[in-house]
Amino acid sequence: YTKQAYKDFVLELETRWTGDDDSGVMLRKPELQLQFGTSRSLKKDMTCSFYTGGQEKYPEAGRAQGVEGLLKTGEWNHVRLEARGDRFKVWLNQKLVTDYQNTKYPGEAPVGLQIHPGVKMKVEFRNVRIAPLE
């Protein structure tokens, strides 16, 4: 996690993984996750979708669209996350795939990279950059 808490920000990174990946980016308070890889609960790839941990774990409005044609399996993928208040936009390899709004997630918090223990996978991150938005 970052030492600094962020409210409105842009996060850009490159990620790649092999195996049965289940990782992502953690943000906001209460905690919200931007998923990379396969959802443990849905047993399908939910890359660039939002996981809330609530009753509807992956709300329809927070599910990425068109990822299948953009995701480069086993290669570096560029992800851009823009968080402004309670609205979250995600680009995968330069294409907008998610535009999600939820009033439950307006609060600032540190931002973290997430990986599940006990899952056989290798996930890598590089060129991680974060900047506050005004």
Side-chain angles (χ1 to χ4, degrees):
Y1 282 90
T2 59
K3 290 181 182 177
Q4 179 180 339
Y6 291 89
K7 181 171 179 160
D8 296 341
F9 66 90
V10 172
L11 171 72
E12 291 195 52
L13 58 81
E14 291 175 275
T15 183
R16 72 175 171 188
W17 58 85
T18 57
D20 200 13
D21 178 54
D22 184 356
S23 66
V25 174
M26 307 304 281
L27 63 147
R28 293 294 197 249
K29 204 166 234 163
E31 198 164 64
L32 181 63
Q33 177 191 354
L34 176 62
Q35 174 81 33
F36 297 150
T38 304
S39 158
R40 299 289 109 220
S41 58
L42 297 180
K43 307 291 188 232
K44 70 181 207 176
D45 192 311
M46 296 300 289
T47 296
C48 293
S49 297
F50 285 97
Y51 174 81
T52 67
Q55 186 172 354
E56 186 181 16
K57 294 181 182 342
Y58 291 92
E60 282 295 325
R63 293 185 182 194
Q65 303 296 313
V67 169
E68 302 80 23
L70 297 170
L71 186 63
K72 298 180 274 185
T73 305
E75 297 180 38
W76 289 106
N77 290 277
H78 181 266
V79 177
R80 176 186 169 97
L81 166 62
E82 182 180 297
R84 288 184 187 267
D86 61 6
R87 188 170 184 190
F88 310 93
K89 292 183 179 182
V90 182
W91 289 260
L92 175 62
N93 296 323
Q94 317 310 322
K95 180 152 174 54
L96 181 66
V97 292
T98 313
D99 188 347
Y100 177 53
Q101 190 163 11
N102 188 325
T103 58
K104 183 179 175 184
Y105 301 101
E108 71 178 34
V111 176
L113 301 178
Q114 183 253 4
I115 186 166
H116 279 283
V119 179
K120 289 186 179 187
M121 70 175 126
K122 178 180 180 183
V123 61
E124 299 171 276
F125 299 97
R126 72 178 185 188
N127 298 321
V128 180
R129 299 179 310 266
I130 190 168
L133 293 171
E134 310 238 349

